[in-house]
Amino acid sequence: MSYLVLARKFRPKTFGEMVGQEHVVRALENALTSQRLHHAYLFTGTRGVGKTTVSRILAKSLNCQGLDGQGGVTATPCGQCQACREIDAGRFIDYTELDAASNRGVDEVQTLLEQAVYKPVQGRFKVFMIDEVHMLTNTAFNAMLKTLEEPPEYLKFVLATTDPQKVPVTVLSRCLQFNLRPMAPETVREHLARVLASESVPADDASLRLLARAARGSMRDALSLTDQAIAFGAGALEEATVRQMLGSADRGHVLRLIEALAAADGRTVVDTCEELRRQGLSAAATLEDMATVLQRMAVLQAVPAGVQAGDDPEALDAARLAAALPPDETQLLYSICLHGRAELGLAPDEYAGLTMVLLRLLAFKPATATVAAAEKKTPLDGRAGLSGAPVAPSAPSAPPRAPVAAATVLAPAPPARVPAAPAQPERLRVVDMPPVQVIAPAPAPLAAQAATEMPPDMVAIAVRDQPEPGARQQPRAGATPARLVATEEGELWHQTVQQLIAAEAINALPRELALQSQLIARDGDHWMLRVERESLNQPASRERLRAALEQAGHGARLSVEVGVVTDSPARRNAAFAQERQRAAEETVRNDAFVQAMVRDFGAKIVASGIKPIPPSSHSQATRS
């Protein structure tokens, strides 16, 4: 006798044997008991959750004749009468199953509907079961609409699909819809334990948990994997053999990776990934197992007393790791694991992708640690730190160099250096440094200077300005306004910031904080700044700017408040740039050749095309 696979051998024969679909079973049993029967049913759900099984049990309930042959419609079919046995064997003449995946045309549907005019031969009802109904063509759907809406009283339709979104609404509105849900891993594990006990197959609890999770809510997949595990393990199910069959990482590997990430131990992370490569274990399954553990850790961190460990051996490990990893890093690592699974296919190989995904958290750790350390430092007003006790300020360390892509600096374009500009001290010499360009102050009477340098034979005539083609660009959000109220402290702060930028002592967010802030007051070694945006006032940025100022010989303490800023280095740079642009436009308008072109050929000046000469280019032209 040939072997019958577990998925077929243990297919439920009655509603009482169904597991995990109590909401559907209860509704159908009540309808059968009260004789309130609908003419069309639609069962939806993922593969292997019992759609076809429910259809067959419903057909037996409608046609069961009882042991004495006098039975009627019932919610508990006997399973012994001729109708029940033939439906289970698939040869009942009044129960027709149509696979719409291979019979999706209008001809097949019309052939099925032609049988609807004939009354049942053996049973009480004709039952037409169409599996994967969403695969039917639009013409086939239209052909069955009328019969589906008003079938004969002896005809029942049962439709099943894994994708109800593709079923036309005209069909959905004619059916009573039931959604069969994916089964919980605990439900699958308990059912597998009963099946294996009846089969006399020894199995440990850990192997059943692995199979239940690998089934992903499908009981048929769980039973098929169990068949494979029995063959792989020579008649016994053990955790090691099941893990090897599934290609999933050992729990020790997963826990070791999370422990190494919590301790910022990059060497252990790389070595563990190489060990996974040597053993041929799945990188995607490793990330999935890590996400499972991290989810339990996050729940324990949010609700420490709300989760009971029970008899799950993984609960203790999750509790231990939850205490070792901060909640924010747990959430970050969970998100990285989820999104990293989609990146494995883009990597040169999946193990290289796994290594990069896990090292991504270590790349974010320094920034997180810097912010945490800066927030724990004692504020300038002497208040206690986060723990309530005063924290002594530590020695400043060299700030890490931030990526260029992370900097959002709204600095003006490099201007041209005016020859008559007063020379700055050597220590404040401005150098070209992309992407931030520091603009040297220009003399105020630029227009008068340009006018005095005009040749005596030049005649000033009216010049027509050509508007820019198309719509002008709108100013960027957050751009520095042109209004500037100069102060003595602002001049000192502008020169100091220029010195720090030229020396590359600040970059990224600290550089933006320095450019957008105004020096309000100085009290010995205490400098008070003011910014308009709260987003710039970050602990890490303040600490890095303070360290740069201290290295440059300035104040050792720094405090930042939020308020109106009227004199900042960025505003001064913008004002200088506007003045240089205006002077450049005046120079072009007063040029003899330009005026000749305007007078003789009707030329027009496009103001947007006039750019001041950069300082470096101007200096080279002067030397030549």
Side-chain angles (χ1 to χ4, degrees):
M1 182 177 180
S2 61
Y3 174 72
L4 190 63
V5 298
L6 296 178
R8 295 181 59 186
K9 182 177 181 180
F10 290 92
R11 169 173 282 182
K13 300 295 190 299
T14 62
F15 288 122
E17 297 178 4
M18 292 284 298
V19 293
Q21 307 298 344
E22 289 78 8
H23 62 293
V24 176
V25 170
R26 179 179 179 180
L28 292 177
E29 286 180 341
N30 292 339
L32 291 168
T33 302
S34 61
Q35 302 293 312
R36 299 179 63 90
L37 302 176
H38 202 271
H39 62 270
Y41 297 88
L42 175 63
F43 298 117
T44 65
T46 186
R47 76 274 179 268
V49 294
K51 298 185 295 296
T52 305
T53 299
V54 172
S55 173
R56 293 183 179 180
I57 298 176
L58 179 60
K60 290 192 295 184
S61 299
L62 294 173
N63 293 285
C64 181
Q65 300 171 358
L67 295 178
D68 56 358
Q70 302 298 322
V73 176
T74 176
T76 56
C78 66
Q80 302 297 325
C81 64
Q82 181 181 3
C84 291
R85 295 197 308 270
E86 291 184 354
I87 291 175
D88 287 335
R91 58 175 182 266
F92 190 61
I93 192 172
D94 292 323
Y95 177 69
T96 304
E97 287 189 5
L98 178 68
D99 181 18
S102 55
N103 301 278
R104 58 193 305 266
V106 63
D107 295 335
E108 290 81 356
V109 172
Q110 286 180 345
T111 302
L112 178 67
L113 296 178
E114 287 174 358
Q115 305 175 21
V117 298
Y118 303 104
K119 289 187 176 182
V121 176
Q122 295 179 343
R124 194 176 297 111
F125 290 94
K126 273 183 173 290
V127 180
F128 289 167
M129 194 276 178
I130 305 179
D131 197 10
E132 300 297 340
V133 69
H134 68 275
M135 301 291 289
L136 292 178
T137 63
N138 291 332
T139 308
F141 275 121
N142 295 332
M144 64 182 295
L145 284 181
K146 187 59 179 177
T147 307
L148 183 63
E149 182 179 9
E150 298 179 357
E153 60 181 7
Y154 52 80
L155 179 61
K156 303 296 182 183
F157 280 95
V158 179
L159 311 180
T161 178
T162 56
D163 194 356
Q165 304 297 329
K166 295 182 180 180
V167 179
V169 293
T170 53
V171 174
L172 295 176
S173 64
R174 289 166 167 82
C175 300
L176 200 62
Q177 183 172 347
F178 294 93
N179 182 28
L180 280 72
R181 305 164 185 165
M183 300 182 192
E186 287 302 317
T187 303
V188 177
R189 182 182 63 83
E190 293 173 0
H191 185 67
L192 291 181
R194 290 192 295 268
V195 169
L196 293 175
S198 63
E199 291 288 301
S200 301
V201 175
D204 56 12
D205 190 68
S207 62
L208 296 182
R209 292 181 184 276
L210 290 174
L211 293 173
R213 284 202 298 262
R216 299 182 181 277
S218 172
M219 187 62 74
R220 183 176 62 219
D221 289 2
L223 292 172
S224 299
L225 288 173
T226 303
D227 261 326
Q228 183 179 355
I230 293 174
F232 187 82
L237 270 64
E238 298 178 355
E239 181 182 7
T241 57
V242 172
R243 283 189 181 276
Q244 186 178 1
M245 182 197 73
L246 296 176
S248 57
D250 182 76
R251 188 174 63 185
H253 292 107
V254 174
L255 299 179
R256 192 181 313 130
L257 285 173
I258 298 178
E259 290 173 352
L261 292 172
D265 186 0
R267 167 52 57 187
T268 302
V269 171
V270 175
D271 291 344
T272 306
C273 292
E274 288 299 321
E275 186 176 351
L276 294 174
R277 181 199 299 270
R278 289 191 297 269
Q279 297 182 9
L281 301 177
S282 172
T286 302
L287 292 177
E288 181 180 351
D289 293 342
M290 289 184 63
T292 302
V293 177
L294 290 167
Q295 184 269 336
R296 301 193 65 170
M297 293 168 52
V299 173
L300 289 172
Q301 290 169 347
V303 190
V307 179
Q308 300 297 332
D311 58 350
D312 188 357
E314 298 181 2
L316 296 178
D317 294 327
R320 176 174 54 84
L321 293 175
L325 196 65
D328 55 345
E329 292 186 14
T330 302
Q331 295 289 340
L332 177 60
L333 183 54
Y334 179 78
S335 178
I336 288 175
C337 290
L338 289 185
H339 292 85
R341 292 181 60 190
E343 301 176 6
L344 294 181
L346 305 177
D349 64 87
E350 64 173 0
Y351 300 102
L354 174 64
T355 304
M356 293 302 297
V357 167
L358 298 180
L359 292 180
R360 189 171 303 162
L361 178 67
L362 300 183
F364 285 104
K365 262 184 175 294
T368 306
T370 303
V371 173
E375 289 178 347
K376 292 181 180 179
K377 292 183 180 295
T378 304
L380 290 174
D381 55 2
R383 291 176 299 177
L386 295 178
S387 61
V391 181
S394 58
S397 58
R401 188 180 183 88
V404 177
T408 308
V409 181
L410 304 177
R417 186 183 300 276
V418 179
Q424 294 184 350
E426 179 62 24
R427 69 184 185 91
L428 298 179
R429 182 172 58 88
V430 181
V431 297
D432 296 334
M433 186 186 73
V436 176
Q437 301 292 340
V438 182
I439 303 171
L446 287 178
Q449 178 183 353
T452 55
E453 293 180 356
M454 292 173 52
D457 56 346
M458 181 178 294
V459 179
I461 62 174
V463 178
R464 293 169 290 175
D465 287 348
Q466 172 69 21
E468 298 182 40
R472 290 181 178 268
Q473 277 190 334
Q474 296 295 329
R476 292 179 297 177
T480 305
R483 184 172 61 86
L484 172 67
V485 180
T487 61
E488 294 183 1
E489 298 290 348
E491 178 65 24
L492 172 64
W493 180 240
H494 180 245
Q495 294 180 0
T496 303
V497 172
Q498 284 183 338
Q499 179 184 7
L500 295 177
I501 295 177
E504 297 186 357
I506 54 175
N507 54 17
L509 292 179
R511 178 178 58 190
E512 184 70 7
L513 173 61
L515 287 171
Q516 299 292 342
S517 61
Q518 178 180 354
L519 179 60
I520 302 301
R522 291 176 294 155
D523 184 10
D525 60 348
H526 184 185
W527 288 35
M528 172 67 72
L529 301 180
R530 178 184 295 168
V531 294
E532 289 185 341
R533 292 182 292 174
E534 180 65 31
S535 59
L536 294 174
N537 188 17
Q538 300 296 328
S541 302
R542 292 198 307 267
E543 175 62 22
R544 292 169 62 181
L545 180 58
R546 185 203 64 79
L549 288 172
E550 186 175 6
Q551 290 179 357
H554 300 293
R557 292 193 299 162
L558 183 68
S559 59
V560 181
E561 64 179 15
V562 179
V564 179
V565 174
T566 59
D567 185 8
S568 65
R571 291 179 186 272
R572 286 178 174 260
N573 292 342
F576 297 154
Q578 291 177 0
E579 180 62 23
R580 299 180 70 83
Q581 179 68 25
R582 189 191 62 80
E585 294 178 5
E586 289 294 331
T587 301
V588 172
R589 288 189 177 94
N590 296 328
D591 186 77
F593 175 75
V594 173
Q595 294 211 0
M597 295 293 292
V598 172
R599 180 180 60 250
D600 299 337
F601 300 101
K604 297 181 181 180
I605 298 176
V606 179
S608 62
I610 302 175
K611 301 296 181 184
I613 301 176
S616 57
S617 302
H618 183 80
S619 301
Q620 293 177 1
T622 304
R623 289 195 300 267
S624 60

